[in-house]
């Protein structure tokens, strides 16, 4: 019995150390990135290489602040992420409500088409989207940045599944009490959908923060750059100043990391929810 | 000044100037001087990267927000003039502020369209020879070889000496920054205007040029490909090779950074055959038609053209002055480096810039490397190339292509939309009622549905239709401002796609990426999910969160990190070195670049798959495990007969998800390699993006999009079919 327990314990430790090693290897790029960003002097070709710097300083961050208006880029990214998240929650849950709790002609085929639309990746249609945004005069504006992607089949689909599974009795009762569809949506559906909306909000935020190609094309004037676009632009301008660029990487990565840490559960539910059902 | 004092008080004007990376970095110094001379003017400089400048300028022009003054590479001028983007600078020449004879005529040609000047040459660029003196002295050369024969002779002497000394990696000559046109010119060749039926180049001279380069290679002058991972100027400094063909930056770098050589290096013009022609390039300064502060912008251009400013600019930036008078200034007249450049610039030519030539060179270089390795007949090769060029010209001249016209666009754009609407309307009355309460009034439905549907229609469906319509036209730089002038080209774009080797390369890369990346991702994710599933509580949270982090970290931040990890001096190479493999040229080696991107991408994405698989594991009925255990089944049994069948749906969904994500493989190559080296990492989306924003062939790029869409559509039907079969 003791042999068996010891054996089990041994296995447990073995597995755990294997996983911790994997974890360490996975995290290494971040560790190197943060360490190099906090190094006092930039690494040059003459010095050779090092694993970790010996001293620490915020010099790279200071340098980063001096080459570009970083706070401006952070602000732009914030407006982008929050604006997108808000609008996509609003539009998608409205549409989802129609699909889940209303009966109207053509509903099912329209919904099928939405699901098909889900399969076309956004980047594929970027050129014509650019032409359309341009002809609407929305280049270089937050409207042009946020509007085109904010209604998406994935969001409608997720919220619709959730709304459809809500008990009919609540809605029936409210309707007999004389509630309009709008009342039903605001006072009953939305509060009950809080979990899925939270998931959608967190995934939207992190997704938007991550966006690169689309903002690159739409935001052309440097003061309108989002953080990732600014970072790539800095990389090509100051190629080789790795300390500063990695500091930029840290600044870019931090916000979505914080949001993820704070709302981990909602986020994980959001990304695993759809797929584990299928 | 006139403009500034206009309202009676000095109002500050901000002049927006865009420059390319290195120039933009050094330009502020000149800008401060200009501001000092022109109170009330503030110059704001924005830097563009060379790689991304074309797309940036196109979008700025289309968006109506171009800069007031802009640096433009000589090769871009033609396209931007064709778009009607550039403002004529003719008045500056007419008024005598600028004099045409001050500039190199070949360089001024890049600004000239229909007899008008649309730009001012800012600096020029050419290639000369850099050599280490060591071997020259040893073999008694008083000066660097003047002719092709002498050059070849020196090459033989050096190569023999290096071999005798047992030097295995050393070689004679590095053709950095070399363009093949130069050998052709030196052989006495010339590029003819492109006409149907007339050969665009002289076959005999072309054969001589190609034959000469092949003889250099076969004599072992050019060394074997190797990946030391250090840049070629440092290698020169280290004595790995003796002669380089390179541009002005190399002189600057050698003077500033390389200490081993001190004065043991020299420069010379190109060796002569019939001529000693080198090529001329560089940058112009232009204004856009929609630039806001044209008057002050012109002043700034004029300021940068002054000989003393140009001379100073050379000292700051090492860009060769485009104004020839600058070379006569006291600062530069005795500069030894400048003397060599001045001598070379007297014999320089402009490579032909027609789009057809770039299509031709594309195809040319694809076969060139293979030919160089072979012993095939040069004349046959030249004949083949002549035929290729004839094809390219024929494509250009294909007649009978009607203009698309407004009706075409409306019809072809609306066609799919009408088709889909018909599909929906035909379905009306057939829907089964599920959980039906009552039929909702249409007005209420519209209220809920219209916002989202409108956005999706305008920004998702309509773009697809536009892309579809555009793929049958030659929509591009010349007609973007008025798409009705685009020509209807039928299937020409698709045909070209079929023949485009870069396209097939990108298809191949995407497939390799899927075939290696997806299984690797699934395998790692499944292993880790099963391992983590043994744990509960904090250990589980820690491991799951930690392993998932790469998926959450902003892509661009990770890409920058990996860009750094993959460079010569990084901890990664240090570790690899420690393992005894030696530093690897991760992104520079064509064989290694794609695997490097796959490693990065798998690292980034397996956490997500792992989480989804873990969620799937939770759904498996616990009792099934119990029953296997009661039957005395092994762990393997458990996995084979309970876990795997239970995960089937999840694994399938994960695989579909990764495939969809990976077909859109874009940011990795965009940030890390730009699709190179030698297209080794070109992906479908990057290919389309480059065609669209890198050279503005929207019609052609759209055909890629349509192909991708059809592919996605079929893939989607297939995976739905499979999914139904699974469940």
């Amino acid at each position: 019995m003791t042999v068996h327990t010891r054996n089990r314990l041994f296995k447990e430790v073995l597995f755990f150390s294997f996983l911790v090693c994997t974890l360490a290897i996975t995290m290494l790029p971040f560790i190197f990135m943060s360490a190099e960003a906090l190094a006092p002097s930039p690494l040059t070709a003459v010095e050779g290489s090092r694993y970790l710097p010996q001293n620490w300083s915020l010099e790279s961050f200071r340098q980063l602040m001096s080459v570009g208006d970083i706070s401006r880029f952070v602000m732009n990214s914030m407006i982008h992420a929050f604006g997108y998240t808000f609008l996509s929650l609003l539009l998608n849950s409205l549409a989802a409500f129609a699909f889940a709790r209303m009966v109207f002609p053509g509903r099912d085929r329209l919904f099928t088409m939405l699901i098909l639309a889900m399969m076309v990746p956004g980047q594929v249609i970027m050129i014509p989207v650019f032409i359309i945004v341009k002809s609407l005069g929305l280049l270089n504006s937050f409207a042009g940045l946020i509007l085109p992607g904010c209604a998406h089949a994935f969001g409608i689909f997720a919220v619709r599944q959730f709304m459809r599974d809500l008990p009919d009795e609540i809605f029936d009762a409210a309707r007999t009490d004389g509630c309009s569809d709008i009342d039903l949506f605001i006072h009953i559906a939305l509060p009950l959908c809080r979990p899925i909306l939270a998931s959608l909000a967190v995934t939207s935020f992190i997704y938007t923060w991550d966006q690169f190609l689309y903002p690159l094309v739409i935001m052309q004037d440097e003061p309108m750059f989002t953080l990732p676009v600014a970072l790539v632009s800095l990389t090509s301008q100051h190629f080789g100043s790795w300390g500063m660029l990695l500091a930029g990487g840290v600044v870019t990565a931090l916000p979505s990391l914080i949001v993820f840490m704070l709302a981990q559960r909602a986020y994980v539910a959001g990304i695993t929810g759809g797929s584990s059902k299928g | 000044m006139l403009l500034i004092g206009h309202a009676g008080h000095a109002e500050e004007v901000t002049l927006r100037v865009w420059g390319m990376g290195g120039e933009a970095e050094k330009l502020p110094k000149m800008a401060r001087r200009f501001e000092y001379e022109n109170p009330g003017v503030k110059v704001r400089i924005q830097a563009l990267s060379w790689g991304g400048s074309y797309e940036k300028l196109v979008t700025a022009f289309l968006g109506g927000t171009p800069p007031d003054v802009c640096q433009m590479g000589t090769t871009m001028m033609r396209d931007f003039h064709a778009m009607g983007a550039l403002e004529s600078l003719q008045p500056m020449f007419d008024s005598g502020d600028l004099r045409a004879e001050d500039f190199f005529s070949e360089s001024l040609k890049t600004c000239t369209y229909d007899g008008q000047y649309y730009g001012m040459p800012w600096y020029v660029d050419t290639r000369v020879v850099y050599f280490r003196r060591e071997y020259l002295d040893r073999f008694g050369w008083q000066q660097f070889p003047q002719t092709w024969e002498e050059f070849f002779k020196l090459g033989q002497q050096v190569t023999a000496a290096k071999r005798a000394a047992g030097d295995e990696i050393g070689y004679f000559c590095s053709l950095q920054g070399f363009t093949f046109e130069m050998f052709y010119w030196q052989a006495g060749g010339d590029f003819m205007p492109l006409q149907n039926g007339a050969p665009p180049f002289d076959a005999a001279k072309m054969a001589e040029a190609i034959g000469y380069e092949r003889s250099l290679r076969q004599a072992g002058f050019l060394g074997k490909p190797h990946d030391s991972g250090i840049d070629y100027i440092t290698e020169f400094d280290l004595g790995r090779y003796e002669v380089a063909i390179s541009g002005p930056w190399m002189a600057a770098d050698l003077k500033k950074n390389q200490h081993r050589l001190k004065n043991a290096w020299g420069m010379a013009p190109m060796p002569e055959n019939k001529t000693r022609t080198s090529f001329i390039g560089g940058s112009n300064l232009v204004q856009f038609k929609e630039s806001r502060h044209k008057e002050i912008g012109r002043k700034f251009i004029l300021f940068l053209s002054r000989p003393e400013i140009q001379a100073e600019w050379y000292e700051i930036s090492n860009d060769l002055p485009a104004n020839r008078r600058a070379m006569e200034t006291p600062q530069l007249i005795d500069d030894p480096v400048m003397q060599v450049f001045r001598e070379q610039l007297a014999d320089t030519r402009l490579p032909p810039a027609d789009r057809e030539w770039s299509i031709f060179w594309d195809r040319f270089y694809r076969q060139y490397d293979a030919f160089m390795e072979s012993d095939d007949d040069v004349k046959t090769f030249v004949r083949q190339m002549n035929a290729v060029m004839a094809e390219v010209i024929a494509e250009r001249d294909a007649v009978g292509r009607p203009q698309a016209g407004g009706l075409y666009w409306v019809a072809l754009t609306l066609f799919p939309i009408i088709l889909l609407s018909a599909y929906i309307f035909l379905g009306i009355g057939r829907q089964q009622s599920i959980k039906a309460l009552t039929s909702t009034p249409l007005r209420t439905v519209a209220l809920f549905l219209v916002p989202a549907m409108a956005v999706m229609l305008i920004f998702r469906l309509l773009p697809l239709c536009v892309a579809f319509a555009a793929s049958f036209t030659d929509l591009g730089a010349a007609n973007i401002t008025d798409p009705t002038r685009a020509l209807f080209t039928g299937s020409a774009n698709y045909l070209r796609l079929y023949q485009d080797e870069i396209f097939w390369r990108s298809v191949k890369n995407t497939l390799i990426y899927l075939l290696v990346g997806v299984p690797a991702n699934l395998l790692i994710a499944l292993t880790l999910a099963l391992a983590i599933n043994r744990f509960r509580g904090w250990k589980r949270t820690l491991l799951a969160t930690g392993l998932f982090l790469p998926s959450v970290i902003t892509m661009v931040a990770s890409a920058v990190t990996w860009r750094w990890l993959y460079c010569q001096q990084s901890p990664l190479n240090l570790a690899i070195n420690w393992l005894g493999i030696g530093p690897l040229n991760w992104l520079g080696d064509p064989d290694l670049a794609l695997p490097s991107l796959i490693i990065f991408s798998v690292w980034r994405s397996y956490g997500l798959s792992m989480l989804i698989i873990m969620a799937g594991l939770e759904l498996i009925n616990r009792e099934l495990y119990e029953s296997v255990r009661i039957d005395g089944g092994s762990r393997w049994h458990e996995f084979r007969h309970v876990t795997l069948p239970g995960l089937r749906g999840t694994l399938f969904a994960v695989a579909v998800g990764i495939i969809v994500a990976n077909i859109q493989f874009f940011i990795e190559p965009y940030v890390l390699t730009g699709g190179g080296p030698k297209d080794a990492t070109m992906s479908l989306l990057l290919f389309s993006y480059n065609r669209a924003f890198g050279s503005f062939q929207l019609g052609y790029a759209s055909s890629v999009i349509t192909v991708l869409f059809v592919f996605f559509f079929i893939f989607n039907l297939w995976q739905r079919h499979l999914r139904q079969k699974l469940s």
Side-chain angles (χ1 to χ4, degrees):
Chain A
M1 199 60 192
T2 33
V3 176
H4 187 70
T5 326
R6 198 180 298 161
N7 207 345
R8 247 186 76 104
L9 196 72
F10 176 70
K11 260 186 172 172
E12 203 87 319
V13 169
L14 202 74
F15 264 92
F16 192 64
S17 29
F18 159 70
L19 285 170
V20 169
C21 282
T22 319
L23 180 63
I25 293 171
T26 304
M27 299 297 278
L28 267 182
F30 297 131
I31 296 167
F32 285 137
M33 162 171 107
S34 318
E36 203 52 48
L38 287 167
S41 66
L43 209 56
T44 58
V46 186
E47 266 176 79
S49 14
R50 62 182 169 209
Y51 285 110
L52 292 172
Q54 302 299 313
N55 309 302
W56 310 102
S57 105
L58 289 176
E59 185 49 42
S60 295
F61 288 89
R62 235 168 269 139
Q63 199 194 343
L64 180 71
M65 299 305 249
S66 69
V67 296
D69 194 350
I70 299 300
S71 53
R72 174 90 201 222
F73 302 141
V74 173
M75 199 63 215
N76 289 344
S77 268
M78 286 284 175
I79 298 175
H80 179 203
F82 280 113
Y84 177 92
T85 304
F86 173 76
L87 259 185
S88 85
L89 283 189
L90 182 70
L91 296 193
N92 291 331
S93 58
L94 272 173
F97 186 75
F99 281 118
R101 317 262 8 149
M102 290 177 182
V103 178
F104 56 89
R107 182 185 68 178
D108 294 347
R109 286 202 169 188
L110 188 60
F111 191 72
T112 312
M113 278 181 34
L114 275 189
I115 301 306
L116 274 185
M118 217 153 116
M119 290 301 294
V120 185
Q123 279 138 339
V124 163
I125 49 170
M126 188 194 52
I127 300 150
V129 166
F130 167 78
I131 297 174
I132 291 170
V133 168
K134 188 233 156 198
S135 58
L136 292 175
L138 293 179
L139 282 186
N140 257 324
S141 75
F142 284 110
L145 186 61
I146 293 169
L147 210 55
C150 71
H152 50 87
F154 175 75
I156 297 176
F157 183 75
V159 182
R160 178 243 191 194
Q161 298 296 88
F162 201 92
M163 281 186 177
R164 215 179 45 170
D165 294 344
L166 294 175
D168 293 338
E169 294 77 30
I170 310 177
F171 288 91
D172 290 340
R175 225 182 271 273
T176 21
D177 288 350
C179 275
S180 69
D181 281 296
I182 297 167
D183 289 330
L184 286 179
F185 175 70
I186 296 174
H187 297 296
I188 297 179
L190 281 190
L192 286 175
C193 284
R194 215 175 292 156
I196 187 72
L197 291 179
S199 294
L200 195 58
V202 184
T203 39
S204 289
F205 184 91
I206 292 180
Y207 164 80
T208 323
W209 195 269
D210 196 41
Q211 263 198 328
F212 170 68
L213 180 56
Y214 187 63
L216 172 77
V217 171
I218 297 297
M219 298 307 220
Q220 290 147 8
D221 219 7
E222 193 177 296
M224 296 300 279
F225 280 180
T226 62
L227 209 42
V229 177
L231 182 59
V232 170
S233 148
L234 282 181
T235 308
S236 50
Q237 282 168 45
H238 302 272
F239 190 78
S241 317
W242 290 114
M244 180 188 86
L245 294 173
L246 294 170
V250 172
V251 171
T252 310
L254 225 45
S256 55
L257 214 58
I258 293 171
V259 168
F260 169 71
M261 289 298 183
L262 291 178
Q264 212 184 116
R265 193 160 306 196
Y267 183 67
V268 172
I271 52 164
T272 55
S275 5
S276 56
K277 262 181 200 148
Chain B
M1 280 305 228
L2 283 173
L3 270 182
I4 303 158
H6 184 65
H9 61 278
E11 203 175 314
E12 187 142 291
V13 174
T14 304
L15 194 70
R16 288 168 66 229
V17 178
W18 287 6
M20 306 302 163
E23 274 71 37
E25 208 173 295
K26 287 154 195 149
L27 202 49
K29 219 172 180 176
M30 308 317 275
R32 292 301 88 80
R33 265 186 74 168
F34 180 72
E35 284 169 359
Y36 179 76
E37 284 182 21
N38 298 272
V41 178
K42 178 123 187 48
V43 180
R44 209 182 77 207
I45 288 149
Q46 182 171 328
L48 312 179
S49 62
W50 269 111
S53 60
Y54 190 100
E55 66 205 50
K56 196 76 203 159
L57 288 171
V58 165
T59 45
F61 158 63
L62 291 177
T65 53
D68 298 312
V69 173
C70 186
Q71 173 185 0
M72 185 168 278
T74 49
T75 50
M76 287 186 216
M77 293 292 291
R78 174 180 290 265
D79 282 356
F80 281 87
H81 174 257
M83 281 181 231
L86 302 181
E87 172 80 354
S88 169
L89 295 186
Q90 190 65 32
M92 292 175 77
F93 285 88
D94 289 343
S95 69
D97 286 342
L98 293 175
R99 295 189 310 175
E101 61 269 25
D102 286 346
F103 298 98
F104 293 97
S105 61
E106 290 283 301
S107 165
L108 200 57
K109 263 190 205 163
T110 63
C111 301
T112 318
Y113 295 94
D114 315 323
Q116 293 228 15
Y117 297 122
Y118 284 91
M120 183 203 81
W122 181 22
Y123 65 82
V124 293
D125 183 18
T126 189
R127 300 288 175 269
V128 292
V129 175
Y130 292 82
F131 58 90
R132 290 162 52 91
R133 289 195 193 281
E134 189 187 335
Y135 282 91
L136 235 57
D137 294 341
R138 193 193 296 182
F139 296 112
W141 292 83
Q142 298 302 316
Q143 57 174 350
F144 190 79
Q146 295 290 303
T147 64
W148 279 19
E149 289 79 33
E150 284 177 17
F151 183 73
F152 199 83
K153 194 173 156 210
L154 175 67
Q156 284 174 321
Q157 291 169 334
V158 170
T159 310
K162 287 206 170 190
R163 281 192 187 144
D167 181 354
E168 281 183 6
I169 46 170
Y171 53 103
F172 171 53
C173 176
S174 166
L175 298 181
Q176 289 292 340
F178 167 82
T179 53
F180 171 76
E181 288 99 317
M182 295 196 276
F183 278 160
Y184 174 63
W185 282 320
Q186 287 164 16
D190 197 1
F191 294 102
M192 265 69 85
L194 300 175
Q195 283 162 7
N196 207 352
F201 48 74
D202 184 318
K205 313 256 162 71
M206 186 59 101
E208 191 181 351
I210 295 175
Y212 184 63
E213 191 181 339
R214 190 165 66 167
S215 69
L216 297 184
R217 289 205 195 198
Q218 287 176 344
F221 292 177
L222 306 183
K224 296 187 195 78
H226 68 285
D227 337 291
S228 67
I230 48 178
D231 68 292
Y232 71 96
I233 301 181
T234 311
E235 282 200 332
F236 180 72
D237 190 37
L238 291 170
R240 188 151 295 153
Y241 62 91
E242 305 304 312
V243 172
I245 292 176
S246 188
W249 62 86
M250 186 154 172
D253 198 301
L254 286 172
K255 272 195 283 189
K256 205 165 55 187
N257 299 328
Q258 315 296 336
H259 308 293
R260 295 176 195 84
L261 269 177
K262 293 228 167 59
N263 294 317
W265 57 278
M267 294 167 63
M270 303 288 285
E272 182 174 356
N273 181 1
K274 301 277 182 319
T275 67
R276 53 191 338 170
T277 313
S278 184
F279 98 100
I280 190 166
S283 274
N284 303 329
L285 292 171
V286 299
Q287 281 198 317
F288 286 83
K289 279 194 179 129
E290 289 181 49
S291 294
R292 280 184 54 210
H293 302 294
K294 285 190 189 149
E295 189 69 38
I296 301 170
R298 258 176 255 156
K299 260 185 138 167
F300 188 57
I301 293 177
L302 203 58
F303 168 81
L304 289 177
S305 82
R306 283 192 219 153
E308 76 274 15
I309 297 291
Q310 287 247 312
E312 204 179 319
W313 178 245
Y314 167 71
E315 271 157 19
I316 299 173
S317 69
N318 302 297
D319 289 334
L320 302 173
N323 187 336
R324 286 195 288 192
R325 280 192 293 155
M327 296 189 176
E328 315 298 331
T329 54
Q331 292 135 285
L332 298 189
I333 192 138
D334 293 325
D335 184 312
V337 169
M338 184 57 79
Q339 270 169 5
V340 175
F341 279 117
R342 196 161 24 170
E343 196 179 331
Q344 181 67 69
L345 279 167
D347 188 356
T348 48
R349 303 179 88 154
L350 201 63
D354 315 59
R355 170 130 298 151
E356 287 72 31
W357 275 110
S358 68
I359 298 175
F360 170 74
W361 288 126
D362 249 19
R363 297 199 193 164
F364 178 83
Y365 279 117
R366 253 149 241 293
Q367 300 183 35
Y368 192 60
D369 284 339
F371 175 76
M372 282 287 142
E373 301 301 320
S374 74
D375 284 317
D376 298 350
D377 184 35
V378 184
K379 290 203 175 100
T380 321
F381 181 70
V382 172
R383 258 202 302 281
Q384 282 169 8
M385 289 303 112
N386 227 330
V388 168
M389 194 55 177
E391 249 174 60
V392 175
I393 297 174
E395 251 166 59
R396 179 194 68 175
D397 293 344
V399 281
R401 283 171 178 169
Q403 280 199 354
L407 197 66
Y408 168 83
W409 289 101
V410 174
L412 216 56
T413 303
L414 286 186
F415 178 66
I417 297 182
I418 292 168
L419 213 67
L420 292 176
S421 316
Y423 170 76
I424 294 170
F425 281 114
L426 285 178
I428 290 176
R430 279 204 233 152
Q431 86 272 10
Q432 303 127 1
S433 54
I434 34 152
K435 287 189 190 173
L437 306 168
T438 46
S439 196
T440 321
L442 273 180
R443 262 182 45 198
T444 323
V445 175
L447 180 74
F448 279 84
L449 221 45
V450 162
M453 291 302 119
V455 167
M456 289 185 76
L457 184 74
I458 297 173
F459 294 111
R460 206 139 185 119
L461 187 55
L462 196 64
L464 261 179
C465 301
V466 170
F468 181 66
S471 72
F472 298 105
T473 70
D474 70 340
L475 188 67
N479 45 36
I480 181 62
T481 43
D482 180 13
T484 54
R485 273 172 41 221
L487 295 182
F488 178 74
T489 55
S491 57
N493 283 329
Y494 293 93
L495 221 66
R496 188 172 154 205
L497 204 60
Y498 178 72
Q499 294 170 336
D500 194 326
E501 286 182 48
I502 312 181
F503 170 73
W504 288 112
R505 186 72 207 245
S506 68
V507 171
K508 191 178 138 205
N509 286 343
T510 309
L511 284 179
I512 294 177
Y513 191 72
L514 290 177
L515 285 176
V516 180
V518 175
N521 182 315
L522 280 180
L523 214 63
I524 297 175
L526 183 63
T527 313
L528 290 174
L530 289 173
I532 292 179
N533 211 35
R534 300 169 68 101
F535 300 96
R536 299 280 139 188
W538 69 269
K539 286 182 195 159
R540 184 191 176 89
T541 317
L542 172 83
L543 293 169
T545 312
L547 289 172
F548 180 61
L549 273 187
S551 305
V552 187
I553 297 274
T554 312
M555 179 65 164
V556 166
S558 309
V560 170
T561 307
W562 280 81
R563 180 73 193 76
W564 169 67
L565 282 179
Y566 278 147
C567 72
Q568 168 80 3
Q569 309 281 342
S570 77
L572 179 68
N573 257 335
L574 209 58
I576 291 283
N577 210 3
W578 180 75
L579 287 176
I581 307 173
L584 293 173
N585 190 3
W586 292 95
L587 299 174
D589 182 341
D591 295 329
L592 207 58
L594 190 61
S596 302
L597 292 198
I598 295 177
I599 292 174
F600 168 47
S601 157
V602 169
W603 169 82
R604 208 185 108 77
S605 57
Y606 76 73
L608 178 62
S609 316
M610 181 195 75
L611 275 195
I612 298 174
I613 294 173
M614 282 172 70
L617 283 173
E618 295 296 303
L619 296 178
I620 299 176
N621 195 344
R622 301 258 135 233
E623 285 162 19
L624 290 175
Y625 286 107
E626 292 299 317
S627 58
V628 172
R629 212 158 294 165
I630 289 165
D631 293 349
S634 64
R635 280 265 176 190
W636 169 249
H637 246 81
E638 244 179 69
F639 174 72
R640 182 70 191 75
H641 297 288
V642 182
T643 314
L644 217 49
L647 277 181
R648 215 167 47 174
T650 311
L651 286 179
F652 184 72
V654 171
V656 168
I658 316 170
I659 291 172
V660 170
N662 285 357
I663 290 172
Q664 306 173 61
F665 190 43
F666 177 83
I667 304 184
E668 293 96 333
Y670 182 87
V671 177
L672 268 67
T673 61
K678 289 189 178 166
D679 302 320
T681 57
M682 186 60 70
S683 78
L684 273 171
L685 213 56
L686 186 60
F687 174 75
S688 167
Y689 178 85
N690 281 348
R691 291 300 167 281
F693 291 94
S695 54
F696 221 63
Q697 309 169 50
L698 288 179
Y700 190 40
S702 296
S703 66
V704 185
I705 289 171
T706 314
V707 170
L708 256 179
F709 175 71
V710 169
F711 177 78
F712 267 107
F713 194 79
I714 294 170
F715 177 74
N716 186 29
L717 291 180
W718 175 76
Q719 69 97 3
R720 279 163 74 89
H721 172 74
L722 244 144
R723 190 181 289 230
Q724 267 159 12
K725 246 172 76 179
L726 270 177
S727 61

